[in-house]
Structure formats: C-alpha cells, structure tokens
Amino acid sequence: MLSRRYLFLAAIISFSSITFQLVFLREFLSTFSGNELLFGLFLGLWFLLQAIGGYIGRLIKPSSPTLLSILIAILSILLPICLFSLKLSKPLLIEQGGMVGPVAISLSLSLFLLGPCIIIGFLFVLISCIYKGTLGRVYLFDIFGYLLGGLVFTFLLVSRLSSFSILYGVSLSLLILCMFMLKRLILLPFIFILLFFSQIDYQRIALSLYYKGQEMIEVKDSPYGELVVTRLCNQLNFYQNGVLLFTTDNIAENEERAHFALIQHKDPESILLIGGGGSGIIKEIAKYRPKKIDCVEIDPLVIEAVKRRYPESGILLPSVSFHLMDGRKFVKETKTRYDAIIINLPPPFTANLNRFYTAEFFKEIEGILKKDGVISLFLPGSANYLDETRINLLSSIYWTLKDSFSNIIVVPGDTLVIVASDSPLSEKIGDMIKEKGIQTKYINESYLSGQLTSTRVNYLLSLIKRCKPNKDLEPNGYYLWILGWLGFFEKNILYLSLPILIFFLLAIFFAKPIPLSVFSLGFCGVTAEVSLCIIFQSLSGYLYYFMGALIASFSLGLILGAFLSNSRKDPSLFDMKIVVLAASAYLLLLPLLLKGVSLLGMTRLFFLILLFGIGGFVGFAFPLASLLYKKNLAERAGVLYASDMLGSFFGGISASFFLLPLLGTTNLFFLMAIFLLFVSARIRYTQ
C-alpha cells in the first residue's frame, strides 16, 4: 500500500509541474512581450533541463524517501520564488519600449527554470527507484497528473485566480499532501514559510520598479494578460502585458487611423472597429455621424478600465456597441454589412495577430462589406526609410490584400496606413477632409502636404515586391516578423540552427535503437504539438486560454498509449518499429486533416483530436522502451526519461525557431514522417 502512494505522489508532482509550467509560460510571454517563437523556446528549455535532472538521477541512482521529502519542500518554495524573479527581471533587463535579444532571453529563462525543472526530472527517477515496480506504471501516473493539471488549470484556475495565487495554492497543496502521504513532519515548517510569504504583493513590487516615475492607478489580471493603468502628469497610459496599448493624449494617431479610411466613403453609416476601441479613435469616427459603430474587443477588463478612467474617449456614445469576443469570430458570425471596417490592431508579430492579416480573413471581411465599402489596417513604417523587414512585411500584406480588393493606397509615415476597397480611392485626403468640413487638430492640408506627396508615395510603392501571400496555414507575415526580429539582433536563423542540427545528427546515427526511438517520438511529438498550437492560434484565436485543454488532450493520448503499452505481453523490437511507422503515417495525414479543419471550422474539437492522436504514439513508446531496454532500474529511468526530454527539447526549439518558418506546415510534417521512416530502418537493421 505504501508503495502505491509513490504512484499518487508522482501524479501530484506532475500536476504541480504542469500548473507551474502554464503559469510561468503566461508570465514569461508577458514579460518579454513574446510570440510563439518564445513559446517554443520555453518548452524546449523546460524539457532540456528536465532531461538533465533525469540523467543526474541515472548517475546517482537515488532511493531515499527522506531525499524525496527534502526535494519536494525545496520545489514548493522555488515555484513562487521563480515567478517573482521573472517579474523582477523585467525592470532589470528591459527598459520601457525596449527589446531583449534571443540570447539574453534564453540565458535568463534557463536561470529561472534551472532549479524547478532539474528537481522535477530528478524526482521522476527517484520515485521510480523507490517504487520498484514497472517504470511504465510510474510514467502512466505521471501523465495522469499532467492531464488533471491541464484540465483544472483551464476550467477552474485561469479565469478566477492571479498567477501568484495559483502558484501559492499549488505549492501549499503539494506540501500538505506529501506531508500526510509520506508522514514527514519535516515539511511542516515549509508550509508556514509559504503561508508567510504569500501575504506579500510581489506583483505590485515588480510593477512599481518597471513603471518607475509613473503612478500606478490600476492593476488587473485576466485570462488575456496583465492590465496596468498608469498616470504621468495628466496623461493616462494603458498597458497590457507590458505593451503600451494607448494613451489619452494621442490625438494625431487617432485622427490618422480614423480619417484616412473614412474620408474615402461618401457617407459611412455603419462602421466596424476591431481592436483599440478605448484609445479615443471613436471620437474621431463619430465626426462622420454614423448610425452604428460596432467595436470588437476580446478582453472586457480593458473596456471596463476605459469606462472608469477615460469616458471622454467616446466609448459611452449611444451609437457605440461593444462585442466582447474574438474579432475574427465576430466577422464570421455577424449578419451586419458595413460601410467601413478599421482593423485597429498591432502588426502580425504573433500567430494570433497574424490571423487578421491573412487572405482568408480578407475574404471574410469582403463578405460583410457593402459594395462601396472600405477597410484600413496599419503596419510599422518609418518617416523616410524602411528596412528589409518592414518592406517584406508590407509586400506580403499588400499582395494578400490585392487578391480581395482591386484598389489599395498606402500612406507613408511612422505607421503605414493601408486603405483598400473595390471602389476608387483618392490620395487627396487633406482636400476631402476640408470639403466635408471634418474638424481635426492635426490631419489637414498643411500636415499632409509633407507626408502625402506623390514622390514619397511612389517611392513607397516601388519598394513593394511580389511575394507569397499571407495565409492561415502558411503565416508568412508572422514568419517575416520573426526573421526580422532575429536579424535586428544580428542572429542569422541558419547559424542558430547549426549547433542543434549537428547534435541532432549525432544522436540519430550513434544512439542505440531503443533510446533513439524514444528520442525521435519525443522530438516529433513536441514538434507537432508546438506546430499545431501555432496553427491553432492562427485559426482559432487566443492560445493561452485554451492551452491547458490542448495539453490535457495530448496527455490523454499519452495515457491511453501508455495503458495499451503496459498491457502488452512479451513485447519485441518489432513492436517499436510498428509504432514508429504508424506515427510516420499519421504525420503524413496531418496536413490533409488540417485543411479539413480550416474548411469545416470545427477548430477546437479537431485540434483536441489531432493532439490526442499524437500523444497516443508518444505514450505507447515509453513503457514499451522500458521493457525492451535491459538495464538496471535507475539507468532505464534516467536514460529513457532523458532521451524523451531531450527529443522534446529539440522539437520545441527547432519547430518555432526555424522548421516552421523555413519549411511551412506541409513540408514540416512530411520531413518528420521521412525522419521516422529512417528511425524505423535503424530498428530493422538492429533487429
């Protein structure tokens, strides 16, 4: 009976581990204003450090319950400390408006995750050695904890509690349960230590350092991020995840974003605004006296804060209706047809934002526009010079728009304003504003005489080159932004990938067949998982809110695969070969299935099914390998766990950094299928 407790303990530790992973991931992306590239980096380093912990366990061959109690106590204390260290790093590493390069991010992330991940990896080997049963059974309970943690986080915790509250609750639960299960009173002082430190408002301490010189008047957490409202003199600043959304005095920008598009329409009665509804742009839109202004925002906290702090933004006008939902979902479901649509969003530096700049979305927009309707969107520009990244991004979005709209004008400036329509468009914006009698403070003939000259417009158009369109399943705009971000720090993507490629090839050609099989399926499993999460972001919207459910579905597949594998009698190397071949065939089918998902629109359900299938193959392999790998228990646990985590590390890093950007979805899955065929041939050769 005591032995079984260690199985439940493995599940409790993995429950705490996945909860910490999801909370830390959210705060990490918030701290570094990250995109899905950082999501892959995070997962990769997480698995690498766990692999190191597992391999240390293989060398030490631990079997002490006392050591287990001590490590659990240390882990419980480390979880909130690591989160606070991450929050504190923001004012130390990043100035407001600044950026941090990939090397600095990787080093700081490794430092934050070092303690918890190595302990978690070591604990798997330690519990396996203490339990003394089959390794596959420990693995099964470990996965069950991940499944339960993902579900509880998604449906109970993420929408109700702050990050620090979640971690303190998890740490305390881990300590209390372990104290009773192991009957170790040595854990009691650690419980009191956690209770004491949980009373400190670490979030406000870290934020006060980052927003130094500004008065913090509001701090709120939502599933979509951390909202901070500050005051500097008489100006209010609204930040989400450390990124400035808008200020209360940015009149010139609001005029540009409203009038450059709306002045092209003779009488815009119905207007759709996607994003940025609290910035003050509504006041400018209202100057055209439309009957209906629909504003779409995904985060209700932003709108509530604007209503309290900045009601003069126009947000309370009777013609304004707010729709608190994903902008793309609204466009698909609305029955209203609009005279003008303003896509008031940041550039496509994440897969989530890229969804609003794709060919599929522009076709959806075209479907809800009236015949003479007009749309506008905004890209990063420059007063006089555009670098290669901005040129490539502009070219991609321009030609993507051209497939849906016959007429496009691009207004140069620090922000490029792109206006598109099937009706004629004019660049004489200043004259039209004057003729209509629209009252503006900045946007007038004098302001535009230097900005909107034929020389500047023609020069800008001459920079646009023919390139691939931006699509949901081939997010070219997002990839171009990633390549530009790496190039800004002089990090060539090929140089970054070279060390990984060398190590990967060494593993393929020199590893033994059983660890290689676990390594390969771990690599392909996480590569597919990261890729599907990025594609899910492109098709369905905000990933983090549904992240726990996606991980839970993957874990459920792992559980089923592990259960079926554990129930097999007299397994052979041939069984491993069949698993690898079946996984290869599944990867070949994935691109076709994804196209079906895109066409049918049943995004969430299908992605859960796809991830469940991938998890099934990975889950089946580990227990099977533990029976085929004839070593002592500590070495089996250490080597196979490290192989699994190391493959997952390569999958997380390579998928987001260079495989997806360079190959695209279809080619990537095809390449992984070929790779597994090669692994199968290695197994057959050994056999």
Side-chain angles (χ1 to χ4, degrees):
M1 182 65 183
L2 182 62
S3 183
R4 287 186 183 177
R5 293 182 184 180
Y6 292 110
L7 293 176
F8 290 106
L9 195 57
I12 294 168
I13 291 170
S14 62
F15 178 96
S16 306
S17 169
I18 189 62
T19 307
F20 171 68
Q21 184 187 96
L22 291 168
V23 169
F24 197 92
L25 174 62
R26 166 180 163 171
E27 297 300 332
F28 168 67
L29 294 177
S30 169
T31 298
F32 294 103
S33 304
N35 52 31
E36 290 76 13
L37 183 147
L38 296 187
F39 166 63
L41 174 67
F42 173 87
L43 282 184
L45 288 174
W46 177 278
F47 291 128
L48 175 65
L49 294 171
Q50 281 196 332
I52 293 171
Y55 200 76
I56 291 172
R58 176 250 183 189
L59 296 174
I60 296 175
K61 300 179 177 63
S63 59
S64 169
T66 302
L67 178 60
L68 178 62
S69 304
I70 293 170
L71 288 177
I72 287 172
I74 295 172
L75 178 64
S76 300
I77 298 295
L78 275 179
L79 298 186
I81 288 176
C82 288
L83 183 61
F84 177 59
S85 301
L86 173 68
K87 300 288 285 186
L88 199 60
S89 71
K90 189 168 187 173
L92 298 177
L93 292 175
I94 312 172
E95 294 183 4
Q96 283 189 46
M99 290 194 298
V100 182
V103 174
I105 291 175
S106 300
L107 291 174
S108 57
L109 180 59
S110 300
L111 183 63
F112 297 139
L113 295 179
L114 184 66
C117 287
I118 287 181
I119 290 175
I120 291 167
F122 187 88
L123 283 173
F124 179 84
V125 180
L126 176 56
I127 290 175
S128 299
C129 292
I130 296 173
Y131 173 61
K132 298 187 186 304
T134 61
L135 184 58
R137 187 167 293 182
V138 179
Y139 179 74
L140 187 61
F141 275 79
D142 183 69
I143 301 166
F144 178 75
Y146 274 97
L147 169 65
L148 191 60
L151 292 174
V152 170
F153 181 84
T154 300
F155 298 109
L156 293 179
L157 300 179
V158 67
S159 59
R160 292 174 173 84
L161 298 173
S162 69
S163 297
F164 278 103
S165 299
I166 292 172
L167 275 195
Y168 273 116
V170 166
S171 295
L172 282 169
S173 300
L174 176 61
L175 276 176
I176 292 169
L177 287 171
C178 291
M179 184 178 71
F180 283 107
M181 291 178 69
L182 298 176
K183 299 180 181 179
R184 300 277 174 172
L185 291 177
I186 191 176
L187 298 176
L188 192 59
F190 291 95
I191 294 174
F192 288 113
I193 291 171
L194 270 178
L195 287 171
F196 173 78
F197 283 107
S198 66
Q199 304 306 308
I200 302 173
D201 192 347
Y202 297 101
Q203 184 179 27
R204 189 164 284 273
I205 292 172
L207 290 175
S208 63
L209 292 173
Y210 184 67
Y211 297 104
K212 193 174 182 180
Q214 302 181 51
E215 178 192 356
M216 278 196 303
I217 59 177
E218 195 163 330
V219 178
K220 296 269 188 181
D221 279 318
S222 81
Y224 306 100
E226 177 185 73
L227 177 67
V228 178
V229 183
T230 68
R231 180 182 285 114
L232 185 62
C233 299
N234 293 322
Q235 174 181 292
L236 294 180
N237 308 298
F238 291 76
Y239 297 89
Q240 190 171 52
N241 294 333
V243 177
L244 181 64
L245 294 177
F246 49 83
T247 68
T248 53
D249 287 338
N250 204 347
I251 299 172
E253 181 177 290
N254 287 328
E255 289 186 349
E256 285 186 352
R257 293 185 172 230
H259 300 303
F260 286 177
L262 297 181
I263 201 66
Q264 304 288 341
H265 197 282
K266 60 181 180 180
D267 185 23
E269 294 184 344
S270 57
I271 298 169
L272 173 62
L273 177 65
I274 302 176
S279 64
I281 190 175
I282 293 175
K283 284 196 299 185
E284 301 303 321
I285 294 173
K287 292 177 181 179
Y288 294 84
R289 297 179 182 178
K291 296 178 181 178
K292 182 182 183 64
I293 304 174
D294 283 332
C295 301
V296 183
E297 291 282 353
I298 195 168
D299 193 346
L301 288 187
V302 175
I303 300 306
E304 291 168 9
V306 172
K307 286 180 179 179
R308 286 192 300 271
R309 307 290 180 180
Y310 187 32
E312 60 271 26
S313 64
I315 201 168
L316 300 178
L317 290 173
S319 59
V320 175
S321 300
F322 270 94
H323 305 270
L324 302 175
M325 61 190 301
D326 174 63
R328 189 146 175 191
K329 187 171 186 285
F330 177 85
V331 169
K332 285 181 179 179
E333 295 179 356
T334 185
K335 303 300 182 185
T336 306
R337 293 175 67 83
Y338 295 95
D339 296 304
I341 298 174
I342 300 174
I343 305 168
N344 192 24
L345 294 169
F349 68 89
T350 69
N352 184 31
L353 289 168
N354 189 77
R355 315 161 49 231
F356 296 96
Y357 298 86
T358 63
E360 292 86 351
F361 180 63
F362 293 148
K363 287 294 182 185
E364 292 166 3
I365 285 286
E366 190 180 17
I368 63 170
L369 266 182
K370 293 180 182 177
K371 188 175 181 180
D372 56 348
V374 61
I375 79 161
S376 68
L377 53 89
F378 314 97
L379 294 176
S382 178
N384 298 301
Y385 169 77
L386 286 183
D387 60 27
E388 195 66 22
T389 299
R390 287 174 168 80
I391 292 171
N392 290 335
L393 183 61
L394 170 62
S395 300
S396 178
I397 304 306
Y398 180 90
W399 287 110
T400 305
L401 264 174
K402 199 70 176 172
D403 288 339
S404 296
F405 301 97
S406 53
N407 300 308
I408 301 174
I409 60 172
V410 184
V411 182
D414 290 330
T415 297
L416 301 176
V417 182
I418 303 177
V419 183
S421 177
D422 285 327
S423 297
L425 299 173
S426 173
E427 294 170 358
K428 298 180 179 180
I429 294 173
D431 294 340
M432 292 190 293
I433 288 175
K434 184 177 180 180
E435 287 173 11
K436 279 197 173 182
I438 303 294
Q439 298 299 312
T440 59
K441 188 173 182 179
Y442 295 102
I443 305 301
N444 50 44
E445 291 176 290
S446 301
Y447 179 89
L448 294 174
S449 60
Q451 181 178 354
L452 199 55
T453 64
S454 58
T455 302
R456 293 188 70 190
V457 171
N458 290 333
Y459 170 71
L460 186 60
L461 292 176
S462 72
L463 297 175
I464 298 173
K465 48 196 176 186
R466 189 79 196 190
C467 63
K468 287 195 310 182
N470 190 30
K471 297 183 178 180
D472 284 342
L473 294 181
E474 296 177 18
N476 191 46
Y478 160 63
Y479 296 154
L480 289 170
W481 188 269
I482 284 179
L483 294 174
W485 177 73
L486 292 171
F488 180 82
F489 295 99
E490 300 181 350
K491 306 298 179 188
N492 189 295
I493 197 166
L494 294 176
Y495 295 151
L496 285 172
S497 61
L498 191 59
I500 294 176
L501 183 61
I502 292 172
F503 191 94
F504 190 74
L505 290 173
L506 289 173
I508 291 173
F509 286 103
F510 295 102
K512 294 179 180 178
I514 299 304
L516 174 61
S517 301
V518 175
F519 171 90
S520 303
L521 286 168
F523 166 78
C524 291
V526 171
T527 301
E529 183 182 11
V530 170
S531 302
L532 287 175
C533 284
I534 292 174
I535 297 166
F536 175 87
Q537 183 91 296
S538 298
L539 294 176
S540 185
Y542 192 71
L543 171 66
Y544 182 77
Y545 191 76
F546 204 61
M547 185 72 190
L550 293 173
I551 290 177
S553 180
F554 183 76
S555 300
L556 188 60
L558 289 172
I559 288 175
L560 180 62
F563 177 79
L564 293 175
S565 183
N566 276 313
S567 63
R568 286 191 63 80
K569 296 179 180 179
D570 300 322
S572 66
L573 208 54
F574 179 76
D575 295 327
M576 183 65 78
K577 177 187 171 183
I578 294 299
V579 173
V580 173
L581 285 173
S584 175
Y586 187 76
L587 289 172
L588 284 174
L589 281 174
L590 275 180
L592 296 175
L593 295 172
L594 285 171
K595 287 182 180 178
V597 169
S598 181
L599 291 172
L600 294 173
M602 298 171 65
T603 310
R604 294 192 173 189
L605 175 62
F606 268 89
F607 272 86
L608 292 174
I609 295 171
L610 295 180
L611 282 167
F612 173 81
I614 293 168
F617 292 112
V618 178
F620 194 95
F622 190 93
L624 180 61
S626 71
L627 296 172
L628 296 174
Y629 195 58
K630 305 299 184 181
K631 301 289 182 180
N632 64 64
L633 185 57
E635 183 161 353
R636 264 189 296 153
V639 169
L640 295 180
Y641 186 79
S643 299
D644 189 17
M645 294 298 106
L646 200 59
S648 301
F649 158 70
F650 282 115
I653 294 288
S654 58
S656 56
F657 261 91
F658 57 91
L659 287 179
L660 258 179
L662 292 179
L663 299 176
T665 306
T666 302
N667 291 334
L668 173 57
F669 287 124
F670 178 76
L671 185 66
M672 285 195 293
I674 297 299
F675 165 62
L676 289 181
L677 286 176
F678 174 80
V679 173
S680 174
R682 279 282 321 268
I683 296 173
R684 182 181 179 185
Y685 176 78
T686 305
Q687 206 175 5

